[in-house]
Amino acid sequence: MCGIVAYNGPKPAQQPLLEGLKRLEYRGYDSAGIASISDGALSITKSKGRISVLEDKLNSEGNQSGVIGIGHTRWATHGSPTEYNAHPHRSSDGKIALVHNGIIENYAAIRKYLEEKNVVFESETDTEVLAKLIGQLYSTGSFTLETAVQAALREVTGAYAIAVISADEPNTLVVARKGSPMIIGITDNAFIAASDASAIVSHTTQVVTLDDYQVARLTVNGHGPEIRTTTIDNDVVNREIEELEVSLEQIELGDYDHFMIKEIMEQPQVLTNCFRGRIDGREGQIRLGGLDAFARDLVRARRIVLTGQGTAWHAALLGEYLLEDLAKIPCETEYASEFRYRNPIIDEGTVVMAVSQSGETADTLAALHEAKDRGALAIGVVNAVGSSIARETDAGVYLHVGPEIGVASTKAFLGQVAVLTLISLFIGRRRYLSPQSVAEYITELERLPGHIESILQQSDFIRDEVSKVIDRDNWLFLGRGYNYPVALEGALKLKEISYIHAEGMPAAEMKHGPIALIDEGMPVVFVAPHGSQYDKAISNIEEVRARGGRIIAVATENDTQIEQYADTVLRVPAVPEPLQPLVSVIPLQLLAYHAAVLRGLDVDKPRNLAKSVTVE
Ligand code: G6P
C-alpha cells in the first residue's frame, strides 16, 4: 500500500526520493509525489499514476534542488486517486509538508475543528488534517517542528507513519510512527528514512526502527547526522542502531523479467533456507527456537485458531489440516477481518496463530490484539523480521524466505506452509508422533528442494499448455483434502495477475451449484496427486469431462491412469500426503504467471492490488 521515503543529507533529495519510491512501487499505489526545501521555500510536485509520470512532470515543470525532502506513493482510501489527494500535503501557510501511511480515524472531528478556525482544505484525505494541524500549532510560535508534530500526534487516533519538513527549519526532518512501519537509515552524512527496508538498503544497512508513539528528529549540520528519539510526550528514548537483514540482490530483478518469476524460481533455495537449523534427520528432531519457551503451552493447547488474509489465509487453512492431522489438536481457520469483529470465544488453552508475509496486515494485527486481550497465547508465522505482528506475538517462527517483492505471493506461501508443517511436527512429536515417523517426514522434507527444482523445469511446457486456453475467462480449481486449500490458492493467483475469473473449491462441492458453469472447453484444474481421496477425485474429473470441461490435472509423476481423463497433466513428484501442498502449488504459480504474461499484463503491478494491506 502507501509508501514513504524521506531524505536529509548533502545531495539534492529528488534523486534518492525517486529511487526510493521506485523501490516501493511493488507495494501498490495510484499516485505519487515529492516535496523538498530550497532557498527557504517548499516545492511540491505530485501526479496521478506511475512514478514515471511524476518524473516527466518534474522534467517539464522543473526539477527540485532541495537537499531535504519527503516522497510518497499513495493507494487511495479516503478520497479518489487524484493529484490533489496525492501526498505530500501542506500546512495552510505552505511552509510545512507531510506524507503519511495509515489512517487518521478521528480526522472528521479534527477537520471540523480546523474548519471552524477558517482553515481551508485542498483534498478529501484524512492525511491533510494532520498537515494543517501541525501547521496551525507551529504558526503560534510556541513549537518547533518536532514539538508541533508531537503535540498534533497526541490529538490523533488511528495508525500512522509520517515524515514532515518545514521551510523554517531546513536542516530538520521529523518522522514518527504508530501501527505503521518507519525505518531510519543512517549513513556517514545523511538520513534516508522509509516505510520499507527496500527503499533504504542501497544506501545503508545501519538502521534505527521506531516503536509505536515514537518520534525521531533527524538533523544534518556541520557535525554530520544527528538523531533524537522521543515519545509523542517528548520523553527521550534511546534506540539502538541495528543491521538490516536485507541485501540489494534480494530486492533486484537480476536476469528475470518479473519479480514474481524470480521468486517462483528461488523456491528450492528458499525452502533450504527455511529448513536450515530446524530439521535434524539424524536425531528425528524439529528445532524451533522461537517456540521452545512455549512448547508446553502448545502441547497442552485445547484449540488452535489460525488467522490471516489472502494467500496467508490459504496457508493458515493448510495449517489447520496439518495441525489436526499431525498434532491432533482441534483447529479452526478464520479470516482475521471476521474474527476481530465477531466476539470470538477464546478461553484459556486457546492458541491463536497469525500468518502473515508482511507482518503489517491491519486486520491480522487487529485480530491478534483481540485474541491477546482475551487471554490467548499468540504465535506468529511471519516473514518480515521486526514487523508489527512479529513484535506483538508472544512467540513465533520466521519464514526466512527473504523479502517478497512480487505482489502475488509465491515463495512466502511456500514458506508459510513449510513453517506450519514444521510446527505441526514439532507439536505432534511431543504428543502422538513417534521419533521414527518424524524422522521419515524429515527425510521427505529434505528432498523437497530437489523436487521443486524438477517441477520448475516444466515452466515452458506449462506456458504452452496455458496458451491453448488463454482466451477463456472463467476457470475452476478443485481439490479434496490437502489439495483443497491449494486449489483456492491456484485460483487466487490466476485472478490476481491475469484478471481471469477463477474460483477454487472442494471438488465435491462443485456438484452443489458451480457445475452449472461448466460448458464446452471451460478450463477446470484438478489438484489430484495420488492419495487417500484420489479415486474420489477421478470421479469428480469424470463429472466435469462429461459436461465438456477441459481438464488440467496436477498429478503424481508415476500416475499413468490420469492421462485417460485429463487434457493436460502437470507432474509433481510423489511425497507423503501432508507434504503435497508444498509441491502441488508450484505448477499453479507457474500457470498463473504465464497466463498473465500471455495476456500482456504487468505481472508485478496488478491493478488495484497492494502488497501490504495496512487498512481494514
Ligand atoms: C494482500 C496481498 C496478498 C496477501 C495478503 C495478506 O492482499 O496482496 O498477497 O496474501 O495481503 O498479506 P500478509 O502480508 O499478511 O501475508
Side-chain angles (χ1 to χ4, degrees):
M1 278 196 147
C2 305
I4 290 177
V5 190
Y7 176 85
N8 188 6
K11 296 190 295 190
Q14 179 176 307
Q15 191 268 333
L17 291 180
L18 290 173
E19 184 205 315
L21 292 181
K22 283 183 196 161
R23 299 245 186 233
L24 299 180
E25 280 194 293
Y26 78 97
R27 298 173 61 88
Y29 69 106
D30 35 45
S31 57
I34 62 167
S36 64
I37 298 163
S38 63
D39 300 329
L42 187 71
S43 317
I44 299 183
T45 312
K46 312 199 268 193
S47 68
K48 190 180 166 193
R50 298 278 187 231
I51 308 293
S52 55
V53 180
L54 179 66
E55 281 179 313
D56 291 346
K57 195 166 178 195
L58 285 159
N59 285 334
S60 60
E61 291 181 6
N63 289 301
Q64 297 185 9
S65 57
V67 296
I68 179 167
I70 56 180
H72 192 260
T73 46
R74 173 173 186 259
W75 192 88
T77 53
H78 291 73
S80 50
T82 58
E83 194 173 307
Y84 62 85
N85 281 332
H87 303 206
H89 288 286
R90 58 185 179 174
S91 57
S92 299
D93 61 8
K95 288 187 172 180
I96 291 174
L98 171 144
V99 290
H100 164 231
N101 286 357
I103 286 207
I104 310 294
E105 283 167 5
N106 59 340
Y107 86 101
I110 300 176
R111 184 166 171 147
K112 185 161 173 275
Y113 160 81
L114 291 168
E115 278 173 343
E116 281 164 7
K117 294 188 174 304
N118 300 321
V119 173
V120 177
F121 283 84
E122 301 166 300
S123 77
E124 297 146 1
T125 65
D126 55 326
T127 299
E128 195 188 353
V129 300
L130 202 47
K132 294 286 194 282
L133 183 61
I134 293 169
Q136 201 224 16
L137 293 165
Y138 195 73
S139 65
T140 63
S142 312
F143 295 90
T144 62
L145 183 63
E146 179 193 30
T147 57
V149 167
Q150 291 167 342
L153 293 179
R154 290 197 291 270
E155 302 302 323
V156 155
T157 56
Y160 54 78
I162 57 169
V164 197
I165 50 174
S166 164
D168 287 346
E169 294 184 38
N171 296 328
T172 306
L173 166 67
V174 177
V175 298
R177 77 159 267 175
K178 190 220 148 192
S180 209
M182 175 56 73
I183 307 167
I184 302 158
I186 308 175
T187 74
D188 292 342
N189 56 9
F191 289 107
I192 179 102
S195 52
D196 183 319
S198 59
I200 294 180
V201 70
S202 67
H203 298 267
T204 180
T205 53
Q206 300 290 293
V207 298
V208 166
T209 54
L210 291 184
D211 270 342
D212 282 352
Y213 301 107
Q214 291 182 348
V215 179
R217 186 187 70 190
L218 311 171
T219 45
V220 175
N221 49 38
H223 314 296
E226 272 177 30
I227 178 168
R228 184 180 122 94
T229 41
T230 57
T231 65
I232 59 171
D233 295 316
N234 202 23
D235 297 326
V236 173
V237 284
N238 286 321
R239 304 293 303 164
E240 299 281 312
I241 294 184
E242 298 162 55
E243 179 78 19
L244 213 52
E245 287 184 20
V246 175
S247 72
L248 202 52
E249 192 197 351
Q250 286 176 313
I251 59 160
E252 298 211 313
L253 258 185
D255 294 333
Y256 291 99
D257 291 336
H258 301 100
F259 280 105
M260 184 180 177
I261 191 70
K262 176 182 183 235
E263 288 161 2
I264 290 173
M265 293 297 174
E266 271 171 12
Q267 289 179 113
Q269 187 57 47
V270 152
L271 210 53
T272 306
N273 295 347
C274 174
F275 288 157
R276 186 167 296 122
R278 292 172 167 171
I279 55 177
D280 183 337
R282 279 167 61 116
E283 291 183 17
Q285 284 276 4
I286 304 287
R287 294 205 180 86
L288 297 172
L291 297 188
D292 275 347
F294 292 91
R296 276 163 60 85
D297 303 80
L298 289 166
V299 169
R300 290 187 299 200
R302 286 209 295 269
R303 175 171 160 253
I304 298 179
V305 177
L306 296 107
T307 193
Q309 295 288 141
T311 285
W313 184 84
H314 295 157
L317 187 58
L318 277 167
E320 172 181 327
Y321 282 49
L322 287 159
L323 282 159
E324 291 203 342
D325 191 1
L326 301 174
K328 305 278 180 261
I329 298 177
C331 294
E332 63 206 72
T333 305
E334 288 234 33
Y335 286 107
S337 55
E338 292 297 312
F339 176 83
R340 62 183 289 199
Y341 287 119
R342 65 166 194 84
N343 200 10
I345 299 167
I346 304 283
D347 56 15
E348 215 188 326
T350 301
V351 173
V352 170
M353 280 188 192
V355 184
S356 176
Q357 187 286 125
S358 64
E360 303 294 345
T361 300
D363 280 318
T364 311
L365 190 57
L368 186 68
H369 290 156
E370 188 64 33
K372 278 175 70 180
D373 285 350
R374 289 169 187 248
L377 174 69
I379 302 292
V381 176
V382 173
N383 192 33
V385 176
S387 57
S388 301
I389 294 175
R391 287 198 288 193
E392 294 190 28
T393 35
D394 297 302
V397 183
Y398 279 122
L399 310 184
H400 290 318
V401 302
E404 188 176 67
I405 308 288
V407 171
S409 183
T410 51
K411 66 175 182 174
F413 176 78
L414 191 80
Q416 286 159 351
V417 178
V419 163
L420 288 162
T421 308
L422 297 185
I423 294 175
S424 305
L425 291 170
F426 177 90
I427 303 174
R429 172 67 194 91
R430 287 161 175 77
R431 285 166 64 92
Y432 306 105
L433 288 177
S434 66
Q436 292 83 339
S437 152
V438 173
E440 279 163 30
Y441 277 115
I442 289 175
T443 306
E444 295 290 344
L445 289 171
E446 284 168 337
R447 291 188 182 132
L448 285 175
H451 289 335
I452 294 175
E453 199 75 66
S454 73
I455 302 168
L456 293 172
Q457 284 164 15
Q458 294 176 58
S459 181
D460 290 350
F461 168 73
I462 293 175
R463 184 195 54 220
D464 295 345
E465 291 300 306
V466 173
S467 71
K468 296 176 187 165
V469 281
I470 196 62
D471 57 332
R472 303 298 302 217
D473 287 328
N474 289 295
W475 291 49
L476 284 183
F477 286 72
L478 306 174
R480 305 179 72 106
Y482 279 108
N483 305 309
Y484 154 52
V486 176
L488 291 178
E489 177 59 7
L492 180 64
K493 286 292 85 89
L494 190 66
K495 270 188 271 215
E496 283 178 313
I497 53 167
S498 71
Y499 318 147
I500 292 170
H501 175 242
E503 276 191 63
M505 68 193 72
E509 182 63 15
M510 173 196 61
K511 283 198 286 294
H512 300 282
I515 198 164
L517 296 170
I518 295 167
D519 59 4
E520 196 61 37
M522 179 183 189
V524 181
V525 178
F526 271 88
V527 188
H530 266 150
S532 53
Q533 299 196 49
Y534 177 78
D535 292 341
K536 307 261 181 236
I538 292 293
S539 307
N540 296 138
I541 291 178
E542 296 221 70
E543 287 155 11
V544 173
R545 262 166 61 87
R547 287 156 182 90
R550 186 184 174 100
I551 310 292
I552 300 169
V554 175
T556 308
E557 257 162 20
N558 56 5
D559 180 351
T560 47
Q561 192 189 346
I562 193 81
E563 275 155 9
Q564 306 163 40
Y565 305 101
D567 299 279
T568 298
V569 183
L570 311 178
R571 299 285 180 181
V572 293
V575 298
E577 234 169 307
L579 308 189
Q580 281 174 354
L582 293 164
V583 291
S584 48
V585 74
I586 310 290
L588 304 188
Q589 297 170 342
L590 287 167
L591 185 153
Y593 173 76
H594 288 303
V597 173
L598 287 164
R599 286 194 162 206
L601 297 168
D602 192 346
V603 174
D604 286 333
K605 298 188 197 83
R607 73 179 176 208
N608 304 337
L609 294 189
K611 180 73 184 155
S612 173
V613 179
T614 48
V615 295
E616 59 175 283

